Amino acid sequence: GAVVSQHPSRVICKSGTSVKIECRSLDFQATTMFWYRQFPKKSLMLMATSNEGSKATYEQGVEKDKFLINHASLTLSTLTVTSAHPEDSSFYICSASGGTIGEAFFGQGTRLTVV
Amino acid sequence: AQSVTQPDIHITVSEGASLELRCNYSYGATPYLFWYVQSPGQGLQLLLKYFSGDTLVQGIKGFEAEFKRSQSSFNLRKPSVHWSDAAEYFCAVGPSGNTPLVFGKGTRLSVIA
């Protein structure tokens, strides 16, 4: 299957700072990327959908000013958590799809801890 | 609206025993169905998927799943569980392979000797 790389795998940041998470499709052009959040011992919830060159579409209840998503190229989407707070601590996972690929492939996830 | 129900939060099985994890979905048309496995602190690994065709799907690690339209189910099975199968299992549904997925709440599998 296609490969999606997510970086970093773990990050610890201080409250009030911003942190950027990258999601890269390594061997295909990802026209669409999805960002999910997983709370401890919970399921994955879709945060937003991003299409290359367009503004992301956020799910209801997700603060677009806090979770900035950029999908400027066909191989890279970024999620920036701005002014992070401890309640933003979570596991964030991206998935990517595109072209003739009939499914979305997941990255390895990023464990964010805000202290 | 799409939804996925995994009725069992936690299942414990003995090593070597058979396993069945239940998944029921609610969707207006024939959905794309997936099973993923997640080890602690790790990302998702796709076990198998169903798009169309044969309703019995074979996956990796000896897993299989059967799509039953009449029951809106997509249960995951394995004839003989190994200790390394202990993990969290998620069933997911989507209108196509390229769209965002709706996940069930997951079933945690424990394997005892």
Side-chain angles (χ1 to χ4, degrees):
Chain A
V3 179
V4 175
S5 177
Q6 191 172 335
H7 179 80
S9 58
R10 292 178 178 272
V11 60
I12 300 173
C13 71
K14 293 184 177 181
S15 290
T17 63
S18 296
V19 61
K20 180 182 288 187
I21 301 169
E22 294 185 346
C23 180
R24 293 182 183 274
S25 57
L26 299 186
D27 51 5
F28 68 100
Q29 293 186 325
T31 53
T32 305
M33 289 190 176
F34 309 102
W35 287 94
Y36 297 83
R37 180 174 180 177
Q38 184 179 32
F39 292 93
K41 303 193 177 190
K42 298 289 185 182
S43 188
L44 288 83
M45 302 297 294
L46 179 68
M47 298 175 65
T49 300
S50 71
N51 293 296
E52 186 265 337
S54 303
K55 289 185 177 180
T57 301
Y58 291 81
E59 295 299 298
Q60 190 172 10
V62 177
E63 298 177 61
K64 59 183 66 176
D65 294 330
K66 164 167 276 295
F67 299 101
L68 300 179
I69 292 173
N70 183 282
H71 191 167
S73 79
L74 285 171
T75 58
L76 174 65
S77 176
T78 60
L79 167 66
T80 301
V81 183
T82 63
S83 187
H85 289 277
E87 56 265 32
D88 299 326
S89 298
S90 196
F91 194 62
Y92 295 87
I93 307 179
C94 70
S95 69
S97 70
T100 57
I101 296 176
E103 64 180 273
F105 294 87
F106 283 85
Q108 308 95 313
T110 297
R111 171 72 60 193
L112 170 64
T113 303
V114 184
V115 297
Chain B
Q2 303 168 50
S3 67
V4 177
T5 302
Q6 293 180 247
D8 305 305
I9 297 173
H10 184 204
I11 286 181
T12 300
V13 299
S14 299
E15 190 170 16
S18 63
L19 170 70
E20 181 170 34
L21 301 182
R22 296 182 291 167
C23 173
N24 292 95
Y25 65 89
S26 175
Y27 189 69
T30 300
Y32 284 61
L33 294 158
F34 304 81
W35 273 101
Y36 290 91
V37 61
Q38 184 181 37
S39 297
Q42 302 298 312
L44 298 177
Q45 182 179 25
L46 178 66
L47 288 175
L48 47 78
K49 58 183 184 277
Y50 172 78
F51 288 177
S52 64
D54 192 344
T55 57
L56 184 62
V57 181
Q58 301 298 320
I60 62 172
K61 303 185 178 185
F63 286 94
E64 67 176 26
E66 186 170 13
F67 170 58
K68 292 186 177 180
R69 183 191 304 274
S70 61
Q71 298 178 19
S72 297
S73 69
F74 189 56
N75 295 346
L76 181 71
R77 300 192 294 250
K78 186 169 184 177
S80 178
V81 170
H82 188 262
W83 64 266
S84 60
D85 294 324
E88 189 88 19
Y89 290 80
F90 292 97
C91 180
V93 64
S96 76
N98 290 326
T99 52
L101 301 180
V102 174
F103 286 83
K105 294 185 183 298
T107 297
R108 183 162 61 95
L109 174 65
S110 296
V111 181
I112 58 176

